[in-house]
Amino acid sequence: MTLFVIGKPVKHSLSPLIHNYWINKYELGLEYKKMEVEKELLPSLIENVRDRKITGLNITLPYKKDIISYIDEVSYSAKDIGAINTVFLRGNKVYGENTDGIGFTRALEKKTKFNFSNKSIYIIGAGGAAYGIISELIKKKVEKIYITNRTKQKTIQLVSFFKTRNKEINLEFVEWKNLTPNSDVDLIINTTSFGMKDNECLKIDINNLKDTLIFVDIIYNPKETELLKFFKKEGFVSMNGLSMLIEQASVSFELWFNISLNNKDIEEVKKICEASY
Ligand code: NAP
């Protein structure tokens, strides 16, 4: 039996390294592989999960939304996101879950003891990852979320998506032109893929920011984006996306194997990942 991360492209994925480490440690006798697939193959992969030929799937770009039409049940939280990254079997039903948001909040809580309640968060980007993170931030009862994205229409769509589900939420659209977070902001998160290439750097005006502000770039490759380097240099506590990646993987692992991973499992795999690139 095998597990796969499927997407296009997938060659950059660290998921096989992470899951195969835990699979070997817990002597599960399985293998986790990458599979670059065309969209047409998605229904047959889900059938393979139903027939127990595949133990589980992780879904990455660009299929996190498309895959939903082929599974039987979407978890309650993934319904609020409209995208899934984990597929697993319960009884004879194929389920989908999204573990990105919980991976993000767990990673930040562990690294900085950050308490999300009543905090103001400034989010850059309105792609799939932003949806997962915002859904989790709402559960954590943050005070306010500012959201900005290069393509204005996508920001408007995101705000309307969450406001139709929760009228109370304080989600404010911010123009992309000059990224100038207000002084009330406690946490800035870059959820865009801008920064993955050399020398790409968004310009953010940090003049208003409080000293205690935390910056997170959810990109993990490169290890430090130019933006992350900038915030570090300015003296702000900063974190890249590797811990989020490992935490979200640990939630998927638990869904497949009912094994709850401990901090030692997480730290061991983090060291291996860091040494690998
Ligand atoms: P996505 O749905 O394709 O969204 C991409 C986002 O990046 C959009 O907001 C897009 O803005 C923005 N963007 C792309 N190129 C840009 C540019 N040149 N200038 C400004 N904005 C740009 O992708 P996603 O799933 O949200 O993933 C986004 C990033 O997060 C990727 O780097 C991915 O590897 C990372 N990620 C990390 C983890 C983790 O566990 N650490 C988990 C999930 C994702 P437009 O709407 O204007 O195109």
Side-chain angles (χ1 to χ4, degrees):
M1 291 274 277
T2 318
L3 299 102
F4 294 96
V5 53
I6 59 166
K8 192 183 174 183
V10 282
K11 59 173 189 292
H12 64 282
S13 177
L14 285 178
S15 296
L17 189 65
I18 296 171
H19 285 292
N20 283 324
Y21 178 80
W22 292 328
I23 284 170
N24 290 333
K25 183 170 177 179
Y26 285 89
E27 300 177 350
L28 300 175
L30 296 160
E31 196 176 359
Y32 182 111
K33 297 177 181 172
K34 304 174 195 183
M35 194 196 295
E36 183 159 320
V37 297
E38 299 301 325
K39 193 175 167 185
E40 294 69 45
L41 206 66
L42 299 181
S44 67
L45 285 166
I46 296 300
E47 283 317 302
N48 281 331
V49 175
R50 198 188 309 285
D51 296 343
R52 295 180 160 78
K53 290 178 188 145
I54 292 178
T55 305
L57 295 170
N58 275 140
I59 320 297
T60 186
L61 287 172
Y63 302 129
K64 287 185 180 184
K65 283 183 187 289
D66 297 324
I67 195 87
I68 288 188
S69 13
Y70 307 113
I71 60 169
D72 301 324
E73 292 276 343
V74 178
S75 77
Y76 181 73
S77 53
K79 269 191 194 128
D80 269 351
I81 301 167
I84 59 172
N85 70 346
T86 307
V87 170
F88 58 101
L89 195 68
R90 283 284 179 284
N92 290 321
K93 276 193 174 174
V94 180
Y95 283 78
E97 178 60 284
N98 191 314
T99 67
D100 280 340
I102 193 158
F104 171 81
T105 54
R106 272 193 197 173
L108 191 62
E109 282 166 341
K110 281 189 190 172
K111 177 166 168 115
T112 68
K113 309 264 182 295
F114 190 77
N115 178 1
F116 288 90
S117 149
N118 299 321
K119 295 295 194 311
S120 290
I121 325 277
Y122 188 94
I123 298 188
I124 307 164
Y131 277 76
I133 290 172
I134 290 173
S135 161
E136 203 58 31
L137 295 179
I138 293 170
K139 282 190 214 148
K140 294 262 180 195
K141 301 203 182 320
V142 298
E143 171 75 22
K144 177 154 192 168
I145 300 171
Y146 299 94
I147 176 90
T148 188
N149 188 57
R150 177 183 61 174
T151 309
K152 186 174 179 174
Q153 190 51 31
K154 283 205 197 156
T155 328
I156 294 167
Q157 264 170 16
L158 181 146
V159 171
S160 130
F161 179 91
F162 284 105
K163 287 226 169 177
T164 48
R165 282 158 178 77
N166 183 349
K167 288 193 179 54
E168 305 298 308
I169 174 167
N170 196 350
L171 188 55
E172 186 177 316
F173 164 85
V174 182
E175 286 286 353
W176 176 256
K177 271 179 207 142
N178 42 0
L179 302 178
T180 310
N182 288 348
S183 57
D184 64 325
V185 169
D186 300 289
L187 170 67
I188 298 178
I189 313 167
N190 176 37
T191 74
T192 75
S193 46
F194 192 67
M196 291 181 81
K197 294 189 196 131
D198 282 349
N199 301 324
E200 283 183 343
C201 191
L202 292 170
K203 285 210 164 30
I204 299 182
D205 183 347
I206 58 166
N207 283 324
N208 296 331
L209 298 180
K210 45 175 106 163
D211 296 345
T212 53
L213 176 116
I214 295 176
F215 173 74
V216 181
D217 199 322
I218 69 164
I219 293 174
Y220 55 86
N221 196 358
K223 278 179 193 156
E224 289 193 346
T225 60
E226 294 301 318
L227 194 55
L228 187 77
K229 284 182 199 158
F230 168 74
F231 272 93
K232 259 189 170 174
K233 197 169 122 246
E234 294 295 333
F236 295 103
V237 171
S238 305
M239 184 178 94
N240 75 3
L242 183 59
S243 296
M244 169 180 170
L245 180 78
I246 297 170
E247 292 290 349
Q248 64 80 25
S250 76
V251 182
S252 300
F253 193 88
E254 186 165 354
L255 288 169
W256 296 321
F257 303 118
N258 202 18
I259 295 173
S260 180
L261 297 166
N262 57 40
N263 281 342
K264 190 162 175 275
D265 298 322
I266 304 274
E267 285 308 315
E268 283 167 356
V269 101
K270 191 171 173 201
K271 279 199 189 103
I272 290 166
C273 287
E274 274 169 346
S276 77
Y277 73 106

